[in-house]
Amino acid sequence: MKGRYLSLAASGAVLCLTAVTLTGCGSLESLTGDNEVTLRVVAADYGDNPQNSSTGYWKDLAAAFEKDNPNVRVEVSVYSWSEVDAKVAEMVKAGKAPDIAQIGAYADYAEADKLYTVDELLSVKTEADFLAPLADAGKVKRVQYGMPFVASTRLLFYNTKLLGDAGVIPKDGATPWQPKSWADLEAAAKKLKAANVPTPLAVPLGREEAQAESMMWMLSGGGGYTDNEEGYQIDSPENVKAFEFLRDKMVGQGLTGSVEPGKLDRQAAFDAFNRGEVGMLNGHPTLLKQATGKGVKFGMVQMPTVDGTDHSTMGVADWVMAFKNGHKKESGKFLDHLYSAKNVTTFTNQYDLLPVTTSGYRAMEASTGGSAAQLKTFLTALPNAKLYPVGKKSWAGVSEDVKANIGKVVQPGGQPAKVLEDIATSASKADGDR
């Protein structure tokens, strides 16, 4: 998935494995006895180099499962995020869908009746363990097909040294910043500009992740992509007000740096933050890891809202699905194994991501080692987070529309109401044409 939030985009060739040894990638067919069932699994790589590839996790997972289920063989192919969704699409088109796929979206396959429902696969205990907002996001027409794999939320990061030097917080950095409203953001950005910080507030509305940055501002203004009935509301008054604030108070007052938001990609903003050139920006656990590695002193807070009252925060998730290949029983057993608390936390701890189950949530809450303390700030926001409307087949097209056009709304003279209305009209049409 392009511009992923949950992964460190891995490069390199596909990594294929069985439970015991790494194999060549020429075929996913297994050499098994007549009584054996082979489960073919495709998964995404969350590592950014061969040493931290997800291959090792899946190899250990498959080996443990095969030990307890000797008549089931598990073959896993691990692809980089830049190609995994396309690989699964090719397999499905060729009539060779994997049994299980861990990728970025599920709705198209659910709409085409190619997936088992979650209640056909999982034990009652496993199904009930998913955090509610994530389980709901896995539904199409109130039926769950997508199983969340890992999750993330978003927080506002700030450079403590820059804010201290600008007089926003005490210079000793001992007192955390606690902004509540957009007015607090504006006041801080003005002080940062006066202190010659190159980018007081980074607003990356470039193609890489414009749909995410947009959603964070929409939610903090009391809006969002959809209403409570999951109908699109992209041109709602709340959303228009959010982009008018960005256009007039942030961009219009020169508080967003020299690169216009519509041309600023997420990773470029992260890189600038890690160089000490950005005072504030929205980020996720990957930025936590990157900034720590660069020695940046930073704090993290919930995104301030239009009026200082609480609103939903943004969450994201990657998805697992099981295709109707005649291996419903075996796939269900493997998925119950995948979602055990031990296996969930092993993966999330390795990549500094958030668990999608209540048992995993509680395990991370109780953890004290590694980066757990910092991740808990993200974890706190997860149970009440709102996700993209990924259950809509139309969402992929709407997301592309946002990426292509949302930057226009914050340009001087931009027309948020008109741009959002155009996106909303196309979205509603696409949703109605399903």
Side-chain angles (χ1 to χ4, degrees):
M1 173 174 150
K2 297 178 181 178
R4 300 215 47 85
Y5 339 91
L6 300 181
S7 66
L8 302 174
S11 60
V14 56
L15 302 164
C16 297
L17 56 116
T18 66
V20 181
T21 59
L22 296 179
T23 69
C25 303
S27 172
L28 284 174
E29 299 298 325
S30 67
L31 301 174
T32 62
D34 290 340
N35 295 324
E36 287 185 335
V37 169
T38 296
L39 287 181
R40 296 180 304 149
V41 180
V42 172
D45 197 346
Y46 288 75
D48 59 356
N49 61 64
Q51 286 68 47
N52 70 358
S53 168
S54 304
T55 302
Y57 170 82
W58 288 101
K59 180 179 179 179
D60 293 343
L61 187 81
F65 179 77
E66 287 189 350
K67 183 178 180 180
D68 293 336
N69 299 273
N71 292 326
V72 182
R73 186 174 177 83
V74 181
E75 292 183 349
V76 186
S77 298
V78 178
Y79 293 88
S80 71
W81 268 114
S82 63
E83 59 183 343
V84 66
D85 288 332
K87 287 292 184 181
V88 171
E90 289 172 9
M91 294 174 187
V92 173
K93 187 176 181 180
K96 297 181 179 179
D99 293 288
I100 294 169
Q102 183 268 300
I103 53 178
Y106 65 88
D108 281 9
Y109 302 122
E111 290 270 0
D113 196 30
K114 294 184 179 297
L115 303 179
Y116 290 117
T117 63
V118 171
D119 63 4
E120 290 178 300
L121 295 162
L122 301 181
S123 67
V124 172
K125 180 182 178 181
T126 301
E127 185 178 0
D129 200 26
F130 288 126
L131 292 170
L134 302 179
D136 287 343
K139 295 178 180 179
V140 174
K141 298 176 182 177
R142 303 185 186 278
V143 177
Q144 188 178 356
Y145 297 90
M147 291 159 275
F149 180 61
V150 287
S152 177
T153 54
R154 295 303 178 91
L155 296 172
L156 181 73
F157 283 66
Y158 62 91
N159 183 307
T160 55
K161 183 180 186 307
L162 294 181
L163 266 67
D165 290 345
V168 178
I169 58 175
K171 277 195 174 185
D172 61 12
T175 304
W177 189 39
Q178 296 181 320
K180 296 297 183 182
S181 68
W182 290 351
D184 294 335
L185 277 183
E186 181 186 355
K190 286 180 176 178
K191 289 184 178 181
L192 288 164
K193 183 182 180 182
N196 298 314
V197 173
T199 304
L201 174 71
V203 184
L205 293 175
R207 281 195 57 84
E208 183 182 356
E209 211 181 46
Q211 80 286 0
E213 185 71 16
S214 298
M215 184 172 176
M216 284 180 275
W217 285 99
M218 289 175 179
L219 290 174
S220 68
Y225 284 115
T226 58
D227 57 27
N228 291 333
E229 301 301 320
E230 292 304 307
Y232 283 117
Q233 60 159 21
I234 297 169
D235 58 346
S236 70
E238 292 83 1
N239 291 344
V240 171
K241 184 176 181 179
F243 286 106
E244 287 177 343
F245 170 79
L246 286 175
R247 180 195 64 188
D248 299 337
K249 299 299 185 180
M250 292 299 176
V251 177
Q253 297 188 89
L255 304 179
T256 56
S258 59
V259 179
E260 63 180 84
K263 295 181 179 178
L264 181 64
D265 281 338
R266 179 203 65 182
Q267 190 56 55
F270 282 12
D271 291 343
F273 184 82
N274 295 333
R275 292 193 300 267
E277 299 169 2
V278 173
M280 306 173 288
L281 83 168
N282 290 312
H284 51 72
T286 297
L287 179 57
L288 185 159
K289 190 171 185 178
Q290 292 176 1
T292 300
K294 294 293 185 180
V296 178
K297 301 299 182 184
F298 62 89
M300 302 176 296
V301 294
Q302 295 291 338
M303 176 71 171
T305 64
V306 58
D307 56 4
T309 60
D310 290 341
H311 292 303
S312 296
T313 57
M314 177 181 162
V316 292
D318 293 327
W319 301 96
V320 174
M321 63 218 69
F323 287 85
K324 292 181 176 179
N325 288 349
H327 296 154
K328 179 172 66 175
K329 179 181 177 182
E330 294 81 8
S331 292
K333 279 189 175 182
F334 182 76
L335 290 168
D336 280 336
H337 175 66
L338 172 67
Y339 284 108
S340 70
K342 176 184 175 182
N343 290 327
V344 168
T345 54
T346 294
F347 193 88
T348 55
N349 289 344
Q350 182 175 351
Y351 295 105
D352 286 341
L353 296 168
L354 303 182
V356 297
T357 60
T358 300
S359 57
Y361 181 95
R362 289 172 177 165
M364 180 173 279
E365 252 188 339
S367 176
T368 57
S371 57
Q374 289 177 310
L375 283 173
K376 285 177 184 176
T377 310
F378 290 93
L379 188 69
T380 301
L382 187 58
N384 297 313
K386 190 162 185 176
L387 282 72
Y388 294 133
V390 290
K392 290 179 174 290
K393 185 178 178 180
S394 57
W395 169 244
V398 173
S399 176
E400 284 299 312
D401 200 359
V402 170
K403 290 180 182 181
N405 294 296
I406 203 68
K408 301 173 186 176
V409 305
V410 298
Q411 294 173 339
Q415 300 180 19
K418 178 65 169 63
V419 174
L420 293 177
E421 181 183 4
D422 289 345
I423 296 173
T425 299
S426 297
S428 296
K429 184 177 186 302
D431 202 36
D433 289 346
R434 287 183 302 167

